[in-house]
Amino acid sequence: MLHTGREFHQVTTDDVLGFRAWNISRYHRHRSGLHGAWDVLRDIGALDTDNSF
């Protein structure tokens, strides 16, 4: 949410994947915690996906 400036209910799947891509380009890997954030946002219905990360 800090990365996008949006509220949690406004975050999209593309936002999370974009943040992951930025982390990989910056750190050459994704930062820890992203899987957990994906799961939480998915479980509360903020992400429009049934997929796991």
Side-chain angles (χ1 to χ4, degrees):
M1 293 175 292
L2 294 173
H3 182 72
T4 65
R6 297 180 184 168
E7 299 290 328
F8 75 90
H9 62 279
Q10 297 172 315
V11 174
T12 67
T13 302
D14 287 340
D15 293 331
V16 178
L17 295 176
F19 183 67
R20 179 182 184 272
W22 177 84
N23 270 279
I24 290 171
S25 70
R26 168 104 180 172
Y27 302 108
H28 306 291
R29 64 183 177 86
H30 65 84
R31 305 289 286 188
S32 62
L34 195 53
H35 291 90
W38 176 278
D39 289 342
V40 168
L41 290 168
R42 183 197 60 212
D43 291 349
I44 64 172
L47 295 182
D48 186 22
T49 184
D50 290 330
N51 295 331
S52 60
F53 189 73

